[in-house]
Amino acid sequence: MIPSNWTLLEDGEAVALEARDRILNAANTAIRERGCFRIVMAGGTTPEQTYNLLVPEDSKWDKWELYLGDERCLPADHPDRNSVMVERTLSSRVPIPQQQIHPIEAELGPEQAASRYSEIVTNAMPFDLVLLGMGEDGHTASLFPGHSHPEEKLACAVHDAPKPPPERVSLTTRALVNSRNILFLITGEAKRNAVSAWLDGASLPVTEIAREGKHEVLIDQAALTCPK
Ligand code: 6PG
Protein backbone atom coordinates (compact mmCIF):
# COMPACT_ATOMS: atom_id res chain seq x y z
CA MET A 1 0.00 0.00 0.00
CA ILE A 2 1.13 3.56 -0.64
CA PRO A 3 0.20 6.46 1.64
CA SER A 4 -3.15 8.13 0.97
CA ASN A 5 -1.47 11.38 -0.09
CA TRP A 6 0.46 9.57 -2.83
CA THR A 7 -1.04 9.34 -6.32
CA LEU A 8 0.25 6.53 -8.54
CA LEU A 9 0.13 7.38 -12.24
CA GLU A 10 1.03 5.40 -15.33
CA ASP A 11 4.10 7.28 -16.53
CA GLY A 12 6.03 10.52 -16.51
CA GLU A 13 3.60 12.24 -18.84
CA ALA A 14 0.65 11.42 -16.59
CA VAL A 15 2.62 12.78 -13.61
CA ALA A 16 3.36 15.99 -15.53
CA LEU A 17 -0.29 16.45 -16.55
CA GLU A 18 -1.52 15.91 -12.98
CA ALA A 19 1.18 18.19 -11.61
CA ARG A 20 0.13 20.92 -14.07
CA ASP A 21 -3.48 20.68 -12.87
CA ARG A 22 -2.56 20.76 -9.19
CA ILE A 23 -0.24 23.74 -9.67
CA LEU A 24 -2.94 25.67 -11.54
CA ASN A 25 -5.49 24.85 -8.83
CA ALA A 26 -3.11 26.03 -6.14
CA ALA A 27 -2.45 29.21 -8.12
CA ASN A 28 -6.16 29.94 -8.57
CA THR A 29 -6.83 29.42 -4.87
CA ALA A 30 -3.88 31.51 -3.70
CA ILE A 31 -4.64 34.39 -6.07
CA ARG A 32 -8.33 34.33 -5.15
CA GLU A 33 -7.64 34.29 -1.42
CA ARG A 34 -4.44 36.33 -1.16
CA GLY A 35 -3.89 38.11 -4.44
CA CYS A 36 -0.66 36.32 -5.31
CA PHE A 37 0.82 32.83 -5.78
CA ARG A 38 4.19 32.14 -4.20
CA ILE A 39 5.66 28.96 -5.68
CA VAL A 40 9.05 27.35 -5.12
CA MET A 41 10.19 25.67 -8.32
CA ALA A 42 11.94 22.30 -8.35
CA GLY A 43 15.19 21.89 -10.23
CA GLY A 44 16.59 18.91 -12.09
CA THR A 45 14.91 17.34 -15.12
CA THR A 46 11.71 15.76 -13.79
CA PRO A 47 9.67 18.99 -13.61
CA GLU A 48 10.58 20.23 -17.11
CA GLN A 49 7.59 18.52 -18.76
CA THR A 50 5.26 20.01 -16.16
CA TYR A 51 6.65 23.51 -16.70
CA ASN A 52 6.23 23.16 -20.47
CA LEU A 53 2.61 22.05 -19.97
CA LEU A 54 1.87 25.18 -17.91
CA VAL A 55 2.79 27.57 -20.73
CA PRO A 56 -0.44 27.40 -22.79
CA GLU A 57 -2.63 27.63 -19.69
CA ASP A 58 -4.69 30.67 -18.79
CA SER A 59 -3.43 31.75 -15.38
CA LYS A 60 -3.07 35.19 -13.79
CA TRP A 61 0.65 35.10 -14.43
CA ASP A 62 1.13 38.67 -13.19
CA LYS A 63 0.22 37.36 -9.72
CA TRP A 64 2.85 34.59 -9.71
CA GLU A 65 6.03 34.93 -7.59
CA LEU A 66 8.67 32.35 -8.55
CA TYR A 67 11.33 31.13 -6.14
CA LEU A 68 13.82 28.27 -6.46
CA GLY A 69 14.31 25.41 -3.99
CA ASP A 70 17.97 25.16 -4.84
CA GLU A 71 20.62 26.24 -7.32
CA ARG A 72 23.92 25.06 -8.60
CA CYS A 73 26.93 27.35 -8.17
CA LEU A 74 27.51 27.98 -11.86
CA PRO A 75 27.51 31.16 -13.95
CA ALA A 76 24.04 32.73 -14.13
CA ASP A 77 23.63 31.80 -17.80
CA HIS A 78 25.06 28.28 -17.54
CA PRO A 79 22.75 25.71 -19.20
CA ASP A 80 22.95 23.48 -16.10
CA ARG A 81 21.51 26.16 -13.82
CA ASN A 82 18.05 25.43 -12.44
CA SER A 83 17.18 29.10 -13.05
CA VAL A 84 18.06 28.67 -16.75
CA MET A 85 15.90 25.54 -16.96
CA VAL A 86 12.92 27.33 -15.35
CA GLU A 87 13.41 30.30 -17.68
CA ARG A 88 13.72 28.07 -20.78
CA THR A 89 10.65 25.94 -19.96
CA LEU A 90 8.33 28.50 -18.35
CA SER A 91 9.23 32.01 -17.22
CA SER A 92 10.48 33.26 -20.59
CA ARG A 93 7.23 32.02 -22.18
CA VAL A 94 4.55 33.43 -19.84
CA PRO A 95 4.08 37.04 -18.67
CA ILE A 96 5.35 36.79 -15.09
CA PRO A 97 6.84 40.22 -14.25
CA GLN A 98 10.64 39.97 -14.08
CA GLN A 99 10.73 41.52 -10.60
CA GLN A 100 8.57 38.60 -9.41
CA ILE A 101 11.11 36.01 -10.48
CA HIS A 102 13.60 35.36 -7.68
CA PRO A 103 16.62 33.31 -8.79
CA ILE A 104 19.26 32.27 -6.29
CA GLU A 105 22.44 34.25 -7.06
CA ALA A 106 24.55 31.10 -6.83
CA GLU A 107 27.16 32.62 -9.14
CA LEU A 108 28.27 34.63 -6.07
CA GLY A 109 29.34 31.41 -4.32
CA PRO A 110 27.45 29.27 -1.81
CA GLU A 111 27.83 31.33 1.38
CA GLN A 112 27.05 34.76 -0.02
CA ALA A 113 24.20 33.45 -2.18
CA ALA A 114 22.66 31.55 0.74
CA SER A 115 22.81 34.63 2.94
CA ARG A 116 21.19 36.83 0.32
CA TYR A 117 18.48 34.29 -0.50
CA SER A 118 17.62 33.83 3.17
CA GLU A 119 16.73 37.54 3.20
CA ILE A 120 14.64 37.22 0.03
CA VAL A 121 12.55 34.28 1.24
CA THR A 122 12.06 35.67 4.75
CA ASN A 123 9.15 37.77 3.52
CA ALA A 124 7.85 35.16 1.08
CA MET A 125 6.74 32.52 3.55
CA PRO A 126 4.54 30.72 3.99
CA PHE A 127 4.85 29.68 0.38
CA ASP A 128 1.68 28.58 -1.37
CA LEU A 129 3.32 25.59 -3.04
CA VAL A 130 6.76 24.00 -2.95
CA LEU A 131 7.63 21.69 -5.83
CA LEU A 132 10.34 19.12 -5.16
CA GLY A 133 12.02 16.29 -7.00
CA MET A 134 13.95 13.47 -5.38
CA GLY A 135 17.35 12.09 -6.21
CA GLU A 136 18.31 8.43 -6.38
CA ASP A 137 19.84 8.72 -2.90
CA GLY A 138 16.80 10.37 -1.33
CA HIS A 139 18.08 13.91 -1.58
CA THR A 140 15.72 16.72 -2.37
CA ALA A 141 16.52 20.28 -3.41
CA SER A 142 20.22 20.25 -2.54
CA LEU A 143 19.79 18.62 0.85
CA PHE A 144 21.85 15.45 0.63
CA PRO A 145 21.99 12.42 2.95
CA GLY A 146 24.80 12.62 5.48
CA HIS A 147 25.12 16.39 5.15
CA SER A 148 24.29 18.61 8.09
CA HIS A 149 22.38 21.80 7.46
CA PRO A 150 22.04 24.80 9.81
CA GLU A 151 18.36 24.51 10.65
CA GLU A 152 18.20 28.06 11.97
CA LYS A 153 18.79 29.30 8.44
CA LEU A 154 16.33 29.51 5.58
CA ALA A 155 18.92 28.93 2.86
CA CYS A 156 22.25 27.18 3.23
CA ALA A 157 25.56 26.73 1.42
CA VAL A 158 26.23 23.21 0.17
CA HIS A 159 29.73 21.85 -0.44
CA ASP A 160 30.86 18.43 -1.68
CA ALA A 161 27.44 17.64 -3.13
CA PRO A 162 27.51 14.07 -4.51
CA LYS A 163 25.47 15.27 -7.50
CA PRO A 164 27.57 17.70 -9.56
CA PRO A 165 28.28 20.48 -9.27
CA PRO A 166 29.69 20.09 -5.79
CA GLU A 167 28.86 23.64 -4.68
CA ARG A 168 25.21 24.57 -4.38
CA VAL A 169 22.70 26.62 -2.46
CA SER A 170 19.55 25.08 -1.00
CA LEU A 171 16.51 26.16 0.92
CA THR A 172 16.60 24.30 4.22
CA THR A 173 13.94 21.98 5.56
CA ARG A 174 12.70 24.82 7.75
CA ALA A 175 11.99 26.95 4.69
CA LEU A 176 10.75 24.16 2.43
CA VAL A 177 8.12 22.97 4.93
CA ASN A 178 6.89 26.53 5.53
CA SER A 179 4.36 26.12 2.76
CA ARG A 180 0.62 25.54 2.44
CA ASN A 181 1.46 22.49 0.37
CA ILE A 182 4.42 20.54 -0.96
CA LEU A 183 4.22 18.49 -4.16
CA PHE A 184 6.84 15.85 -4.86
CA LEU A 185 7.28 14.72 -8.47
CA ILE A 186 8.96 11.30 -8.67
CA THR A 187 9.33 9.34 -11.90
CA GLY A 188 11.54 6.65 -13.38
CA GLU A 189 13.08 3.36 -12.37
CA ALA A 190 16.21 5.03 -11.04
CA LYS A 191 14.23 6.36 -8.07
CA ARG A 192 12.94 2.93 -6.97
CA ASN A 193 15.48 2.34 -4.21
CA ALA A 194 14.93 5.75 -2.66
CA VAL A 195 11.15 5.28 -2.87
CA SER A 196 11.43 1.90 -1.19
CA ALA A 197 13.62 3.37 1.54
CA TRP A 198 11.06 6.15 2.04
CA LEU A 199 8.21 3.64 2.35
CA ASP A 200 10.31 1.56 4.73
CA GLY A 201 10.74 4.53 7.03
CA ALA A 202 14.34 5.46 6.29
CA SER A 203 15.67 8.79 7.53
CA LEU A 204 16.45 10.85 4.43
CA PRO A 205 16.25 14.53 3.49
CA VAL A 206 13.10 13.78 1.54
CA THR A 207 11.46 11.94 4.44
CA GLU A 208 12.38 14.69 6.90
CA ILE A 209 10.46 17.16 4.76
CA ALA A 210 7.58 14.71 4.31
CA ARG A 211 7.43 14.23 8.08
CA GLU A 212 7.34 17.93 8.85
CA GLY A 213 5.38 19.36 5.91
CA LYS A 214 1.89 18.95 4.46
CA HIS A 215 2.69 17.18 1.22
CA GLU A 216 1.45 15.16 -1.73
CA VAL A 217 3.41 12.78 -3.94
CA LEU A 218 2.88 12.15 -7.65
CA ILE A 219 4.74 9.01 -8.63
CA ASP A 220 4.75 6.87 -11.75
CA GLN A 221 4.72 3.07 -12.00
CA ALA A 222 8.39 2.91 -12.95
CA ALA A 223 9.46 4.59 -9.72
CA LEU A 224 7.37 2.36 -7.51
CA THR A 225 8.51 -1.16 -6.88
CA CYS A 226 5.64 -3.61 -6.50
CA PRO A 227 3.16 -1.66 -4.30
CA LYS A 228 3.55 -2.52 -0.65
C1 6PG B 1 19.04 19.62 -8.70
C2 6PG B 1 17.67 19.41 -8.11
C3 6PG B 1 17.63 18.07 -7.45
C4 6PG B 1 16.69 17.23 -8.27
C5 6PG B 1 16.87 15.77 -8.00
C6 6PG B 1 16.10 14.95 -9.05
O1 6PG B 1 19.58 20.73 -8.60
O2 6PG B 1 19.53 18.66 -9.30
O3 6PG B 1 17.22 20.39 -7.36
O4 6PG B 1 17.19 18.05 -6.13
O5 6PG B 1 15.35 17.61 -8.01
O6 6PG B 1 18.24 15.46 -8.07
O7 6PG B 1 16.66 15.25 -10.30
P1 6PG B 1 15.96 14.72 -11.65
O8 6PG B 1 14.60 15.34 -11.68
O9 6PG B 1 16.83 15.22 -12.75
O10 6PG B 1 15.90 13.21 -11.54
Side-chain angles (χ1 to χ4, degrees):
M1 284 297 287
I2 58 175
S4 60
N5 57 333
W6 290 38
T7 302
L8 176 60
L9 295 159
E10 183 180 352
D11 55 20
E13 181 173 10
V15 165
L17 287 163
E18 180 65 23
R20 174 202 60 188
D21 295 346
R22 295 198 187 187
I23 292 165
L24 291 170
N25 288 340
N28 293 340
T29 300
I31 293 165
R32 184 178 66 249
E33 295 179 358
R34 290 176 293 279
C36 74
F37 177 51
R38 296 191 175 106
I39 179 172
V40 176
M41 306 297 276
T45 59
T46 301
E48 290 196 35
Q49 198 173 358
T50 299
Y51 299 162
N52 282 316
L53 287 170
L54 285 167
V55 172
E57 296 301 320
D58 179 21
S59 186
K60 293 180 177 170
W61 297 110
D62 63 329
K63 305 296 185 187
W64 285 49
E65 294 265 358
L66 287 194
Y67 299 86
L68 274 169
D70 70 325
E71 188 55 276
R72 302 138 181 219
C73 290
L74 296 166
D77 59 354
H78 193 288
D80 290 349
R81 283 269 299 231
N82 287 328
S83 56
V84 170
M85 180 274 288
V86 170
E87 185 179 16
R88 170 170 46 81
T89 56
L90 180 64
S91 58
S92 64
R93 304 163 69 192
V94 295
I96 300 173
Q98 199 57 38
Q99 66 271 22
Q100 292 169 209
I101 299 170
H102 308 283
I104 299 172
E105 299 168 282
E107 62 278 11
L108 301 177
E111 277 71 19
Q112 188 176 359
S115 173
R116 289 168 73 120
Y117 211 60
S118 290
E119 291 171 23
I120 288 172
V121 298
T122 297
N123 300 316
M125 297 182 295
F127 299 115
D128 294 300
L129 182 62
V130 169
L131 297 179
L132 288 170
M134 182 188 71
E136 299 174 20
D137 58 0
H139 80 257
T140 192
S142 284
L143 303 174
F144 291 92
H147 287 223
S148 61
H149 307 100
E151 272 317 308
E152 74 283 358
K153 294 187 184 297
L154 296 174
C156 63
V158 177
H159 299 276
D160 306 319
K163 177 179 181 181
E167 297 207 319
R168 292 161 166 260
V169 180
S170 184
L171 288 185
T172 60
T173 297
R174 176 177 167 218
L176 291 169
V177 301
N178 194 347
S179 180
R180 291 179 174 86
N181 203 2
I182 300 165
L183 183 62
F184 287 98
L185 309 182
I186 302 174
T187 64
E189 198 169 298
K191 309 297 173 77
R192 276 188 173 183
N193 290 340
V195 169
S196 288
W198 181 342
L199 293 174
D200 288 344
S203 176
L204 295 164
V206 67
T207 59
E208 183 182 4
I209 286 174
R211 185 177 64 247
E212 294 190 29
K214 178 176 179 293
H215 70 282
E216 297 168 334
V217 176
L218 299 182
I219 185 168
D220 72 354
Q221 288 283 4
L224 189 67
T225 49
C226 44
K228 298 284 177 184

